[in-house]
């Protein structure tokens, strides 16, 4: 059951979007986010939506995967929309009942916010769907590397992230094993009230925690044995090379951004 | 042949908590290992064999005495990375020594740390992967591999450093029989074809029987140090410290006890079968 969890939800593929340099993809996503938040007219979102749809089409990942990505956040989105609906008081009143007033501006702001956040989620999903987590970590490390000058531990953070990614499957497997072991001893993990189930989780989390510390200790020793001494003077096997298509993609993103500013 | 590892009067105790007396784990070990040797270290749990292994590449520093690898003392902090390139170490649990989520990047980890330039690194990683027969899996995630395959990746990560010797701390203890076979085959090939000195810590007697030399440890001391044939002929002494002898040796030993005339130095199944065949012919 735990095997279904895949953090980052990467869909391997060979599309143009997949092949883009991850650093450029990150920058483009960043521009995209600015684009969504800069304008406050519907037409600005329209530009964003066109951009997203083209990118999704190019990635050859089915649209329904993107609908799926929005789903878990839907309740949150709806609550935000409803709050906006009731608490925005400017504009002409469309509907009035006792103390509840709904204005035309409230309706448009609610819809606007809803669409904006949805586009945001879809855009960032496109990034994680088409970029493997480890590549993404690598790109973050390289993009942030200028921050090393002001003593931000960029390499250390990236190393932590990549080790965390590496250990997700291992720890999931281990959790499965511990669950089976505890079930074999009569622990009720899948049944009982919410409180009993929560309590029974302790019998899984404690061994998992202890074994993680043991793993951390062994991994640290193994890393030392392989001469690990921080980011200083490290070379990399993974070479990131930017191709013309990366610059073209960036140029397209900037064009969209400019259009957005002009009409916004 | 030149000695690659020299251990002289090595004592070691783990630092104790306040008020407690430190427990001495190694009590005066003297050991010389020649270049190209394939040596096994046997011993019961708590005999100090893993502690000894950790001294060879400077993870632990002797309380007293010296450990020298290829002329470098393990206590020399300035040369610690030099030392670790010469003496690589493979651990028991393959999961806990793989750093990256891509096989080839894990093999490159040590080289990345050492700052090896890209072209050279690419070559060494590919060669190391071919040496352990895992080249086809270079883009896989370790999570998709079996225990034996993961352990071979861990070995490739060490081979890529081009070490002169490799210390393996029970590398097959967590593997299934198929994985054990694969890993042992890789280790043997590294020794024969590349002349890498191997120190294999194990508690599988059949693995020890494949080595050139077997050192048996008990309670922090070396009690036997000889060829596998000679070591396993001391059946009673080996059993006394809680170890087994290879099954073939045990059978031959029981037959001798029962008064049959079989040679004392049998370690392989073939030799045992041959001896029994001769017994029948004589009857």
């Amino acid at each position: 059951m735990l095997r279904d969890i895949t953090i980052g939800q990467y869909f391997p593929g060979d599309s143009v979007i997949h092949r883009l340099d991850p650093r450029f993809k990150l920058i483009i996503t960043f521009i995209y986010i600015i684009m969504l938040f800069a304008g406050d007219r519907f037409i600005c979102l329209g530009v964003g939506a066109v951009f997203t749809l083209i990118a999704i089409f190019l990635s050859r990942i089915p649209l329904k995967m993107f609908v799926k990505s929005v789903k878990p956040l839907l309740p949150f989105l709806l609550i935000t929309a409803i709050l906006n609906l009731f608490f925005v008081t400017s504009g002409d009143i469309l509907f009035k009942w006792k103390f509840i007033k709904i204005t035309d501006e409230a309706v448009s702001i609610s819809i606007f916010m809803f669409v904006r956040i949805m586009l945001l989620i879809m855009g960032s999903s496109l990034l994680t769907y088409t970029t493997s987590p480890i590549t993404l970590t690598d790109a973050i490390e390289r993009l942030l590397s200028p921050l090393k000058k002001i003593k931000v531990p960029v390499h250390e953070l990236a190393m932590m992230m990549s080790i965390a990614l590496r250990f997700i499957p291992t720890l999931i497997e281990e959790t499965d094993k511990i669950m089976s072991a505890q079930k074999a001893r009569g622990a009720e993990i899948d049944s009982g009230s919410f409180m009993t189930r929560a309590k029974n989780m302790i019998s899984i989390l404690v061994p998992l925690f202890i074994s993680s510390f043991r793993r951390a200790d062994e991994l640290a020793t193994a890393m030392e044995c392989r001469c690990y001494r921080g980011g200083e003077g490290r070379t990399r096997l993974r070479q990131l090379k930017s191709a013309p298509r990366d610059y073209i993609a960036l140029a397209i993103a900037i064009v969209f951004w400019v259009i957005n500013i002009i009409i916004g | 042949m030149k000695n690659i590892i020299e251990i002289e009067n090595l004592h070691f105790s783990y630092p104790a908590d306040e008020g407690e007396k430190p427990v001495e784990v190694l009590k005066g070990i003297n050991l010389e290992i020649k270049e190209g040797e394939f040596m096994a270290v046997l011993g019961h749990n708590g005999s100090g064999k893993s502690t000894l292994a950790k001294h060879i590449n400077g993870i632990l520093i002797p309380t007293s005495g010296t450990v020298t690898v290829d002329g470098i003392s393990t206590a020399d902090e300035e040369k610690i990375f030099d030392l670790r390139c010469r003496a690589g170490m493979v651990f028991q649990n393959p999961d806990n020594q793989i750093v990256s989520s891509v096989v080839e990047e894990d093999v490159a980890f040590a080289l990345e740390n050492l700052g090896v330039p890209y072209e050279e690194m690419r070559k060494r990683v590919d060669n190391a992967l071919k040496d352990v027969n895992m080249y086809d899996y270079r883009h896989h995630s370790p999570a998709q591999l079996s225990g034996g395959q993961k352990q071979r990746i861990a070995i490739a990560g060490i081979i890529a450093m081009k070490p002169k010797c490799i210390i393996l701390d029970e590398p097959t203890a967590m593997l299934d029989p198929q994985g054990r076979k694969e890993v042992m085959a890789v280790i043997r090939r590294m020794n024969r074809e590349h002349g890498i000195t191997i120190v294999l810590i194990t508690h599988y007697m059949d693995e020890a029987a494949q080595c050139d030399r077997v050192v048996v440890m008990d309670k922090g001391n070396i009690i036997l140090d000889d060829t596998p044939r000679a070591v396993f002929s001391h059946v009673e002494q080996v059993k006394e410290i809680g170890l087994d002898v290879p099954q073939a040796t045990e059978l031959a030993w029981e037959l001798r006890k029962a008064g049959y005339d079989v040679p004392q130095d049998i370690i392989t199944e073939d030799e045992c079968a041959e001896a029994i065949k001769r017994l029948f012919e004589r009857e």
Side-chain angles (χ1 to χ4, degrees):
Chain A
M1 120 194 159
L2 284 163
R3 273 167 214 285
D4 304 333
I5 305 172
T6 47
I7 304 278
Q9 285 271 342
Y10 168 58
F11 295 98
D14 199 30
S15 75
V16 192
I17 306 283
H18 281 89
R19 273 178 292 158
L20 282 181
D21 185 320
R23 289 171 298 181
F24 282 79
K25 261 193 271 190
L26 256 176
I27 296 172
I28 292 170
T29 311
F30 198 63
I31 290 178
Y32 172 73
I33 293 169
I34 295 173
M35 200 158 90
L36 286 183
F37 280 90
D40 43 13
R41 288 173 55 194
F42 271 100
I43 188 77
C44 299
L45 289 186
V47 175
V50 170
F51 186 75
T52 322
L53 286 173
I54 294 174
I56 288 175
F57 174 74
L58 287 175
S59 76
R60 283 190 241 136
I61 290 172
L63 196 64
K64 77 165 193 271
M65 293 317 303
F66 292 89
V67 177
K68 242 188 190 167
S69 71
V70 180
K71 238 186 198 166
L73 287 164
L74 210 56
F76 170 75
L77 279 178
L78 286 174
I79 290 170
T80 325
I82 291 167
L83 286 180
N84 272 321
L85 206 57
F86 290 135
F87 289 102
V88 175
T89 48
S90 52
D92 303 323
I93 291 171
L94 293 178
F95 176 82
K96 198 172 174 192
W97 181 68
K98 292 191 180 163
F99 60 92
I100 296 172
K101 273 189 295 197
I102 291 176
T103 64
D104 59 347
E105 232 168 81
V107 172
S108 79
I109 287 178
S110 298
I111 296 172
F112 186 83
M113 287 305 225
F114 187 86
V115 176
R116 178 189 267 174
I117 296 173
M118 226 171 71
L119 285 175
L120 181 72
I121 296 168
M122 286 168 91
S124 40
S125 298
L126 184 65
L127 177 71
T128 55
Y129 282 177
T130 59
T131 322
S132 72
I134 190 80
T135 322
L136 204 55
T137 312
D138 214 29
I140 295 171
E141 177 176 0
R142 278 167 220 231
L143 281 178
L144 296 184
S145 65
L147 293 182
K148 277 180 197 158
K149 289 207 179 80
I150 53 164
K151 302 241 161 84
V152 178
V154 176
H155 165 76
E156 285 74 7
L157 289 172
M159 183 55 91
M160 274 189 252
M161 218 166 119
S162 63
I163 289 175
L165 289 170
R166 145 79 186 84
F167 274 90
I168 287 169
T170 310
L171 291 182
I172 287 176
E173 203 177 302
E174 176 135 45
T175 313
D176 258 351
K177 262 188 217 157
I178 296 172
M179 278 171 91
S180 309
Q182 303 294 42
K183 271 189 213 158
R185 291 170 203 172
E188 286 177 47
I189 292 157
D190 302 324
S191 56
S193 71
F194 178 74
M195 278 311 285
T196 30
R197 266 188 293 170
K199 262 188 208 151
N200 285 334
M201 278 310 278
I202 295 173
S203 66
I204 292 163
L205 290 179
V206 170
L208 187 66
F209 220 66
I210 292 170
S211 97
S212 303
F213 273 103
R214 205 197 56 235
R215 280 181 195 282
D217 187 39
E218 281 181 24
L219 183 69
T221 313
M223 284 170 76
E224 263 183 56
C225 284
R226 294 212 258 158
C227 306
Y228 181 67
R229 53 193 135 168
E232 199 98 343
R234 269 191 115 218
T235 46
R236 302 300 297 267
L237 181 70
R238 182 197 297 276
Q239 300 283 314
L240 291 181
K241 279 201 199 86
S242 45
R245 63 166 169 267
D246 298 314
Y247 292 98
I248 295 169
L250 185 62
I252 294 171
I254 291 172
V255 167
F256 267 86
W257 191 13
V258 171
I259 294 174
N260 204 46
I261 291 169
I262 293 168
I263 62 176
Chain B
M1 270 292 196
K2 193 173 119 214
N3 286 333
I4 182 138
I5 300 169
E6 286 174 347
I7 300 172
E8 226 172 288
N9 198 21
L10 163 62
H11 288 263
F12 180 77
S13 5
Y14 280 102
D17 293 331
E18 237 172 276
E20 272 174 49
K21 240 182 93 188
V23 183
E24 196 162 50
V25 187
L26 298 174
K27 302 165 183 164
I29 304 272
N30 286 292
L31 188 65
E32 285 173 353
I33 303 169
K34 291 195 173 58
E35 227 171 61
E37 211 165 10
F38 190 171
M39 192 186 91
V41 180
L42 286 175
H44 209 249
N45 287 341
S47 62
K49 57 188 198 302
S50 284
T51 312
L52 176 65
K54 284 183 181 147
H55 275 87
I56 302 179
N57 76 342
I59 298 176
L60 295 174
I61 306 294
T63 312
S64 74
T66 58
V67 179
T68 319
V69 177
D70 202 21
I72 303 172
S73 160
T74 58
D76 188 348
E77 272 183 45
E78 281 179 18
K79 288 189 180 163
I80 193 75
F81 294 113
D82 250 6
L83 171 81
R84 286 184 180 154
C85 290
R86 280 167 219 220
M89 182 129 174
V90 176
F91 296 89
Q92 184 182 66
N93 189 339
D95 267 327
N96 295 355
Q97 47 187 325
I98 292 178
V99 186
S100 174
S101 350
V102 183
V103 164
E104 62 172 11
E105 278 176 39
D106 187 73
V107 175
F109 183 71
L111 304 181
E112 291 181 332
N113 292 334
L114 294 166
V116 174
Y118 176 74
E119 271 75 36
E120 165 86 7
M121 182 167 8
R122 184 79 253 174
K123 232 186 283 163
R124 277 161 77 169
V125 167
D126 288 347
N127 286 339
L129 279 166
K130 283 173 191 159
D131 277 338
V132 300
N133 287 334
M134 288 297 289
Y135 186 66
D136 295 338
Y137 294 88
R138 64 189 180 281
H139 297 305
H140 280 56
S141 149
Q144 298 167 297
L145 305 178
S146 72
Q149 289 174 322
K150 277 188 257 191
Q151 198 60 289
R152 273 146 68 199
I153 294 303
I155 294 174
I158 298 298
I159 294 173
M161 287 198 287
K162 298 202 170 158
K164 290 197 171 170
C165 86
I166 303 179
I167 306 118
L168 302 107
D169 191 355
E170 300 193 25
T172 58
M174 302 186 76
L175 308 182
D176 54 16
Q178 181 57 34
R180 277 181 58 196
K181 239 186 256 167
E182 293 165 4
V183 168
M184 277 310 286
V186 165
I187 298 171
R188 259 203 317 276
R189 205 169 58 234
M190 285 304 108
N191 178 254
R192 296 231 177 100
E193 289 172 16
H194 298 253
I196 299 174
T197 311
I198 303 283
V199 179
L200 174 69
I201 297 183
T202 181
H203 53 227
Y204 288 113
M205 301 305 139
D206 55 329
E207 287 176 5
Q210 300 171 17
C211 299
D212 303 333
R213 177 179 170 195
V214 175
V215 166
V216 180
M217 288 186 68
D218 188 42
K219 301 191 188 90
N221 290 304
I222 292 178
I223 57 164
L224 289 168
D225 176 2
D226 215 324
T227 60
R229 214 171 277 282
V231 164
F232 290 128
S233 63
H234 303 277
V235 178
E236 263 150 46
Q237 201 183 349
V238 171
K239 278 181 171 279
E240 207 173 286
I241 60 162
L243 289 175
D244 284 323
V245 291
Q247 281 178 331
T249 313
E250 174 130 28
L251 178 58
W253 181 64
E254 292 287 348
L255 284 169
R256 278 178 67 80
K257 269 210 304 196
Y260 294 100
D261 176 31
V262 274
Q264 204 172 357
D265 61 351
I266 284 172
I267 54 171
T268 68
E269 282 154 24
D270 289 344
E271 288 168 1
C272 187
E274 187 60 34
I276 293 169
K277 198 177 125 202
R278 252 181 279 132
L279 269 185
F280 277 116
E281 281 166 2
R282 234 173 289 154
E283 288 285 315

